[in-house]
Amino acid sequence: MSIVSVIIQLIVSGLAIGSVYGLIAIAHSMIWSGIRVVNFAQGEILMIGASVSLMYVTGEWGARLPFIPAAIIGAMAAAIMGLLIYLLVMRPTTKSGFLYVIGGCVGMQMLLQNTAILIWGATGRPYPAIFPMEPVSIGGVFIVPQDIFILLISLASAGILWLFLTRTKTGTAMRASSQNRSVAGLMGINHVRTDALTIIIASALAGIAGILIAPKFFVTPTMGASINSKAFTAAVLGGFGNIPGAIVGGLLLGVVENLAGGVFTSQAKDAVSFIILILIMMFKPGGLFDAGPGRKA
Amino acid sequence: MKSVNCIQFIKKHRILSLFVFFVILVSGIIGIGDPYMSHVLIIGGIYGFLAIGLNVVTGLCGQINLGMAGFYAIGSYTSALLSTKLGVHFLVAFPVSIVFAAIAGLIIGYPALKVRGGVYLVLITTSFASIIQTILTQWVSLTNGPMGVVGIESPSFFGLTVQSLDSWLILTYFLLLVAMIVGMNIEHSRIGRSLKAVRESDTAAQSLGVNLAYYKILAFVISAAFGGAGGSLYAYYMTTVSPDIYNMNLSVQTLTMIVIGGVGSIPGSILGGIIIAVLPEMLRFLGSLQMVVYALLIVMATILLRRGLLGTGVDAIRFFKKALMGGASNG
């Protein structure tokens, strides 16, 4: 096996995991640009999406469903949980200050993790592979079909979201209130409705991300925390609040991280994310696509 | 009326009343003599250092810092390595640990200057703490990796070794009292006033001649120094350190301490530190529900206690005083 084919394999699996980071980064960016809060418990929403859908895939909660309906139920559970966190924690604490939002979300994170331990136990559960896992050789390069499916589904979800935001009236209303909240309100946009919709869509995306990544790792109560910190880096890389930037940031981070893991050690993989974060904050705090202070990219 | 005089007395002689409070607290715990309780309260006292540090940077200066675990780790490892590898005495290792942590605060304060908005500050400080933890785990030749450093010698003063729980209680709370006095003096000095001005509006502070960069970095340095002091004490108390305790959870817990104690209140920090150490133990009877209830209480405290326990208590006293006086004038 030549070095080139190894590198291509690393890039393909990096793109797959990177697209999942991208989905969660989109969720962060949507919430930040729309409502100006940050959901630090996004990782736990992802975990709930994955765990609930696993319950239906394995048939532990009554019905044994095929993957797609189970995934939809998981994404819905994630969306409901996101809305609950927003209404019960983020909205009341926003008035007291950003510090309290973080405190509340982090407390929520602890609460959800420990509740998940009570319900599902602390040990990891394998998620049955939906797509073929055996590598397929394409011209000497071994590619896992699952990676391709993950990449396609994430990109498709991001694409559908983009169409929704640009082509529908509701989507345009959401973009308008993210650009200028008060003027959008004067134009008759109902903030309560757009805020709720933003949270629901973002949390459902996080849920989908969790379900996509579950077969690659185990489903554990703490699975969300590390993925979420990577997603933050991806969002910052693309410019916090920039939705197309988020998916590019995610893909880039996934590939760089995977290459670092392949070339150096697996510890280097985690360190890369932090190093990128610090560098981007020092030299390009507005993200890769930032045109400079005061200008919109 | 007598209670009002008492409050006025406490207000006038803050340090004296704090000293009396600590003496009563410590002698009470020693009197009870429950070793487990003493241990939890020593840990709570060490948490107090972290909370004071975070209150300087977050409470006074308004800069969010979720990297306290990193400063704590630097303090711990500096003490541990100085003590085990070079055989340095506590009286030297303790200040050196504080200085090393403060230098780390200087390094992290600089990039923190450049970012706009709280989200970025959260990310930069959490990644700092993660990098420190990764270094401690990976640099095996210096830090012994995940195995940690063992056999840190207990501090001794004039032939008396601080080893028993009682002596540790006295040492911890004595140093905590000193830290608190230092913290309160910082709050009421020119530095504290400038930090508060930066918190309220950095543009306005700058236009009044406050050097923004200097004070923002200084806030990080001071908070790191307190974190380092706590870390050093922790290393000496436990006599062993390992990288796994300096995790994200610790930084988050510190944030919870100041939210519970009151953001910007130095005496509240100590209350917050002790509560965060004691609360899980008090909930132990709940069994598997322990952590769920604990997390629920934290979420509720964050939503409800906008001014912290101490601030809410003061508000309540004021409210009742007003109600009593109103009742008196009506009657």
Side-chain angles (χ1 to χ4, degrees):
Chain A
M1 219 161 38
S2 69
I3 292 196
V4 177
S5 64
V6 170
I7 287 179
I8 292 175
Q9 281 166 35
L10 285 174
I11 289 177
V12 169
S13 61
L15 283 174
I17 190 123
S19 66
V20 175
Y21 295 158
L23 277 189
I24 309 164
I26 289 179
H28 281 304
S29 285
M30 275 182 76
I31 296 177
W32 176 249
S33 67
I35 323 176
R36 292 279 147 184
V37 289
V38 179
N39 186 358
F40 287 92
Q42 196 80 274
E44 278 49 50
I45 291 177
L46 170 165
M47 176 270 292
I48 285 183
S51 303
V52 169
S53 76
L54 175 66
M55 287 299 104
Y56 285 103
V57 166
T58 58
E60 259 175 82
W61 280 3
R64 194 189 175 103
L65 296 174
F67 173 67
I68 291 176
I72 290 172
I73 292 177
M76 274 165 56
I80 292 168
M81 190 47 76
L83 189 64
L84 279 179
I85 293 181
Y86 172 66
L87 291 178
L88 297 178
V89 180
M90 282 148 77
R91 240 178 115 98
T93 48
T94 312
K95 280 173 240 140
S96 337
F98 193 59
L99 178 73
Y100 291 84
V101 180
I102 301 175
C105 283
V106 165
M108 221 38 217
Q109 196 175 356
M110 221 161 41
L111 183 62
L112 290 177
Q113 280 181 8
N114 284 299
T115 317
I117 290 177
L118 274 189
I119 302 174
W120 293 298
T123 47
R125 289 155 165 262
Y127 198 101
I130 320 301
F131 309 112
M133 295 278 273
E134 278 78 50
V136 181
S137 169
I138 303 167
V141 181
F142 287 94
I143 285 173
V144 186
Q146 181 176 248
D147 286 347
I148 304 292
F149 278 107
I150 291 177
L151 182 59
L152 287 179
I153 294 178
S154 335
L155 289 183
S157 324
I160 291 170
L161 175 71
W162 188 244
L163 284 180
F164 170 74
L165 286 178
T166 49
R167 295 294 149 83
T168 64
K169 207 170 174 183
T170 326
T172 314
M174 280 163 67
R175 281 190 302 139
S177 58
S178 80
Q179 271 184 5
N180 192 329
R181 208 177 158 81
S182 43
V183 174
L186 291 176
M187 297 297 132
I189 287 170
N190 184 351
H191 280 320
V192 178
R193 202 167 140 251
T194 51
D195 286 0
L197 207 59
T198 306
I199 282 284
I200 288 174
I201 294 175
S203 307
L205 273 184
I208 294 172
I211 296 163
L212 284 178
I213 210 162
K216 275 182 95 86
F217 304 116
F218 283 100
V219 179
T220 63
T222 52
M223 69 185 278
S226 66
I227 301 174
N228 194 29
S229 77
K230 303 275 174 65
F232 263 123
T233 309
V236 171
L237 205 54
F240 215 81
N242 180 347
I243 293 174
I247 195 102
V248 177
L251 291 173
L252 201 63
L253 178 67
V255 170
V256 171
E257 184 189 81
N258 230 25
L259 284 177
V263 176
F264 305 109
T265 57
S266 57
Q267 272 85 29
K269 205 171 161 174
D270 291 330
V272 158
S273 156
F274 299 126
I275 293 166
I276 289 180
L277 187 65
I278 297 263
L279 287 179
I280 200 102
M281 298 246 196
M282 286 179 82
F283 298 110
K284 210 120 174 58
L288 286 180
F289 311 108
D290 189 30
R295 262 180 268 167
K296 278 252 169 199
Chain B
M1 260 346 242
K2 206 169 187 185
S3 67
V4 178
N5 286 340
C6 187
I7 290 170
Q8 273 167 354
F9 180 81
I10 290 175
K11 267 188 184 163
K12 237 180 196 170
H13 307 274
R14 260 188 190 192
I15 289 165
L16 181 71
S17 43
L18 275 174
F19 181 73
V20 171
F21 173 74
F22 275 130
V23 167
I24 294 172
L25 181 77
V26 169
S27 51
I29 300 159
I30 292 175
I32 292 169
D34 179 358
Y36 191 65
M37 191 175 154
S38 305
H39 167 75
V40 171
L41 281 166
I42 291 170
I43 295 291
I46 293 174
Y47 279 171
F49 285 88
L50 282 175
I52 294 176
L54 188 63
N55 238 332
V56 170
V57 71
T58 306
L60 297 184
C61 190
Q63 305 259 80
I64 290 166
N65 174 6
L66 276 181
M68 283 310 283
F71 302 128
Y72 193 61
I74 291 173
S76 286
Y77 267 82
T78 311
S79 290
L81 294 174
L82 282 177
S83 164
T84 54
K85 298 220 163 161
L86 300 175
V88 174
H89 190 261
F90 175 80
L91 285 176
V92 180
F94 186 66
V96 171
S97 306
I98 295 176
V99 170
F100 272 38
I103 292 170
L106 191 69
I107 294 169
I108 204 65
Y110 174 69
L113 265 187
K114 299 193 105 186
V115 300
R116 31 178 196 200
V119 192
Y120 290 91
L121 213 50
V122 168
L123 295 174
I124 218 163
T125 47
T126 46
S127 23
F128 159 74
S130 306
I131 289 171
I132 294 290
Q133 205 189 5
T134 314
I135 291 174
L136 294 180
T137 321
Q138 296 298 315
W139 194 354
V140 178
S141 60
L142 181 73
T143 65
N144 210 9
M147 305 291 292
V149 181
V150 291
I152 302 160
E153 217 171 287
S154 301
S156 58
F157 304 101
F158 318 111
L160 290 168
T161 313
V162 181
Q163 210 162 17
S164 69
L165 280 172
D166 292 350
S167 52
W168 264 108
L169 264 175
I170 295 168
L171 178 65
T172 310
Y173 280 88
F174 171 71
L175 288 176
L176 189 61
L177 183 68
V178 174
M180 209 164 141
I181 292 167
V182 171
M184 280 160 75
N185 279 332
I186 289 174
E187 188 189 342
H188 295 118
S189 69
R190 184 190 162 82
I191 298 173
R193 288 193 299 273
S194 307
L195 292 181
K196 281 182 191 165
V198 172
R199 174 186 67 188
E200 296 307 330
S201 161
D202 47 4
T203 322
Q206 200 171 21
S207 69
L208 291 173
V210 174
N211 185 343
L212 216 55
Y214 174 76
Y215 281 108
K216 276 187 173 176
I217 293 181
L218 186 67
F220 265 99
V221 170
I222 295 173
S223 100
F226 279 111
S232 171
L233 266 187
Y234 180 81
Y236 274 104
Y237 172 58
M238 297 304 280
T239 68
T240 114
V241 288
S242 65
D244 51 312
I245 72 133
Y246 306 99
N247 52 15
M248 176 71 193
N249 215 359
L250 186 68
S251 307
V252 167
Q253 271 184 337
T254 314
L255 187 94
T256 323
M257 288 170 210
I258 70 165
V259 167
I260 288 179
V263 176
S265 153
I266 303 285
S269 316
I270 304 214
L271 190 67
I274 294 176
I275 287 179
I276 287 294
V278 171
L279 192 60
E281 308 305 329
M282 279 168 66
L283 297 173
R284 198 162 280 273
F285 70 95
L286 289 167
S288 57
L289 276 173
Q290 180 199 6
M291 288 314 285
V292 176
V293 175
Y294 175 68
L296 197 65
L297 284 176
I298 300 251
V299 174
M300 279 165 56
T302 320
I303 296 171
L304 300 176
L305 296 178
R306 221 161 271 184
R307 295 192 51 217
L309 269 182
L310 221 56
T312 312
V314 170
D315 283 353
I317 289 173
R318 241 179 238 154
F319 176 78
F320 282 119
K321 227 162 88 181
K322 219 180 213 172
L324 277 179
M325 281 182 170
S329 66
N330 283 343

